[in-house]
Amino acid sequence: MEFDFSAILLGLTVLFGVVWGLDRLFLYKQRKARLDAAGTEYSDPVPVDWARSLFPVVLVVLLLRTFVAEPFRIPSGSMMPTLDVGDFILVNKFAYGLRLPAFNNKVVDLGEPQRGDVVVFRFPGFLCDDGTGKLIRSGDPGCSDPHAKVPSQNWIKRVVGLPGDSIEVHGADLLINGKPVQAEEIGPYTGNPQRAEDRLMLDMGATVWKEHLGKVNHMIARMPAYNIPNPIPNAKVPSKVPEGCYVVMGDNRNNSEDSRWWGCMPEKNLAGKAFLIWMSWKGWGTGGVDFSRIGTVIH
């Protein structure tokens, strides 16, 4: 089951605020007068006391997560080698504007994503029948029930194409507005073969490259022996990026379900810009805490 933590925080804030507020408006004075008359020391009922104590705490957490920074954990290897499975990152929530919690409607416009930004967004795809009766996420709008509500899930990718850009992808070759994106090979990928994500990349002969995406220089991984992604343009992604949309791709170019599969990422789905790794946990017996990654600025 997937939980929208922002929605939970919003619900708790409203609940605690209503309980505390209604008590103060309609019950507090009578209760206090009754206890004073009886010579009893005043105390709030337990539910009211909890609401009064927790309301400001939950409200502050909600405001910080909604408008300042929100923590996320990287669950997959689609952004390797930039972001590893088990990295805990912070996301700037005001980089692209202020949005209402849970509803994600933008209320203050503060900017737009730039080429090379690593962005967190709500997955914009659909729920589809995989042929066995199981509902799976898909980028295919022609699936059995393209209007089924998709539970909120945050994804992370790198912005490659901006609205109005002409994008072409053919295997490892990326062209933006007719110009090839330059990349130099650094060498073979190295990792811990005890970890499933590393073992896959080692078995598939992954190589690491430095890509120059506009003003951003960052690392990507290539392993064509594993998978050849869809080219762009295709049925879901036109050669020219539509207004209000962005083409996003994972840095693990041959192992990332991204715009090449499900289309452009709508601006309305943006959650924020990833900027810092504050913790990295490789797992028991496979590295533990990776102190070398803590404090890494995300480029």
Side-chain angles (χ1 to χ4, degrees), residues 255-287:
N255 188 20
S256 172
E257 184 181 342
D258 49 42
S259 285
R260 292 168 290 181
W261 302 99
W262 42 257
C264 72
M265 186 273 296
E267 189 277 337
K268 65 181 181 180
N269 288 51
L270 278 169
K273 179 182 178 181
F275 69 94
L276 184 72
I277 299 172
W278 64 272
M279 171 60 95
S280 184
W281 172 251
K282 296 295 183 65
W284 295 108
T286 54

Side-chain angles (χ1 to χ4, degrees), residues 23 36 48 51 63 75 82 89 101 121 123 131 133 139 142 159-160 167 202 242 262 272 283 289 295:
D23 178 77
D36 287 346
V48 176
L63 293 176
T82 304
I89 65 171
F121 57 94
F123 177 68
V159 174
V160 173
I167 300 291
L202 292 170
W262 42 257
V289 176

Side-chain angles (χ1 to χ4, degrees), residues 103-178:
F103 302 99
N104 211 43
N105 302 101
K106 183 186 286 189
V107 292
V108 179
D109 190 356
L110 297 176
E112 301 295 339
Q114 301 300 307
R115 197 183 330 277
D117 286 0
V118 177
V119 297
V120 171
F121 57 94
R122 295 189 178 191
F123 177 68
F126 308 91
L127 284 184
C128 304
D129 192 323
D130 67 353
T132 66
K134 180 182 177 182
L135 287 177
I136 60 172
R137 294 178 181 277
S138 169
D140 182 7
C143 66
S144 59
D145 188 4
H147 303 294
K149 180 177 175 58
V150 180
S152 176
Q153 186 181 60
N154 291 300
W155 284 35
I156 185 166
K157 304 292 178 187
R158 188 178 297 276
V159 174
V160 173
L162 305 176
D165 278 348
S166 175
I167 300 291
E168 292 183 54
V169 178
H170 304 284
D173 298 325
L174 170 61
L175 289 84
I176 300 177
N177 297 323

Side-chain angles (χ1 to χ4, degrees), residues 10-299:
L10 178 61
L12 290 175
T13 302
V14 172
L15 174 63
F16 294 149
V18 167
V19 170
W20 185 26
L22 290 178
D23 178 77
R24 283 303 184 264
L25 285 173
F26 301 109
L27 302 175
Y28 168 74
K29 290 183 179 180
Q30 294 180 4
R31 182 172 61 249
K32 188 174 187 306
R34 185 172 63 254
L35 292 176
D36 287 346
T40 304
E41 182 179 356
Y42 177 82
S43 64
D44 285 322
V46 172
V48 176
D49 186 51
W50 275 88
R52 176 181 57 80
S53 301
L54 292 176
F55 173 74
V57 176
V58 177
L59 177 61
V60 169
V61 173
L62 176 67
L63 293 176
L64 289 175
R65 286 178 59 100
T66 300
F67 301 120
V68 181
E70 184 172 3
F72 290 91
R73 180 183 181 275
I74 303 300
S76 75
S78 71
M79 283 296 292
M80 294 171 71
T82 304
L83 297 173
D84 204 351
V85 178
D87 282 348
F88 291 80
I89 65 171
L90 287 177
V91 173
N92 183 336
K93 297 301 294 289
F94 57 84
Y96 309 129
L98 302 182
R99 298 174 183 269
L100 295 177
F103 302 99
N104 211 43
N105 302 101
K106 183 186 286 189
V107 292
V108 179
D109 190 356
L110 297 176
E112 301 295 339
Q114 301 300 307
R115 197 183 330 277
D117 286 0
V118 177
V119 297
V120 171
F121 57 94
R122 295 189 178 191
F123 177 68
F126 308 91
L127 284 184
C128 304
D129 192 323
D130 67 353
T132 66
K134 180 182 177 182
L135 287 177
I136 60 172
R137 294 178 181 277
S138 169
D140 182 7
C143 66
S144 59
D145 188 4
H147 303 294
K149 180 177 175 58
V150 180
S152 176
Q153 186 181 60
N154 291 300
W155 284 35
I156 185 166
K157 304 292 178 187
R158 188 178 297 276
V159 174
V160 173
L162 305 176
D165 278 348
S166 175
I167 300 291
E168 292 183 54
V169 178
H170 304 284
D173 298 325
L174 170 61
L175 289 84
I176 300 177
N177 297 323
K179 297 181 179 180
V181 173
Q182 301 299 315
E184 299 92 35
E185 185 173 358
I186 303 299
Y189 176 80
T190 58
N192 183 351
Q194 293 181 309
R195 301 178 71 229
E197 299 80 11
D198 289 345
R199 187 166 58 249
L200 171 64
M201 297 181 71
L202 292 170
D203 290 346
M204 293 294 108
T207 52
V208 177
W209 298 65
K210 177 179 281 189
E211 183 177 75
H212 307 284
L213 194 57
K215 298 179 181 180
V216 179
N217 300 318
H218 65 103
M219 300 298 179
I220 63 171
R222 295 177 178 175
M223 48 178 179
Y226 176 71
N227 178 45
I228 301 298
N230 288 340
I232 293 178
N234 60 48
K236 300 182 182 68
V237 190
S239 59
K240 185 174 182 179
V241 184
E243 288 299 317
C245 271
Y246 298 85
V247 171
V248 296
M249 294 168 60
D251 287 349
N252 195 348
R253 290 293 164 80
N254 296 87
N255 188 20
S256 172
E257 184 181 342
D258 49 42
S259 285
R260 292 168 290 181
W261 302 99
W262 42 257
C264 72
M265 186 273 296
E267 189 277 337
K268 65 181 181 180
N269 288 51
L270 278 169
K273 179 182 178 181
F275 69 94
L276 184 72
I277 299 172
W278 64 272
M279 171 60 95
S280 184
W281 172 251
K282 296 295 183 65
W284 295 108
T286 54
V289 176
D290 188 345
F291 291 97
S292 68
R293 297 182 64 81
I294 295 176
T296 300
V297 177
I298 300 170
H299 296 292

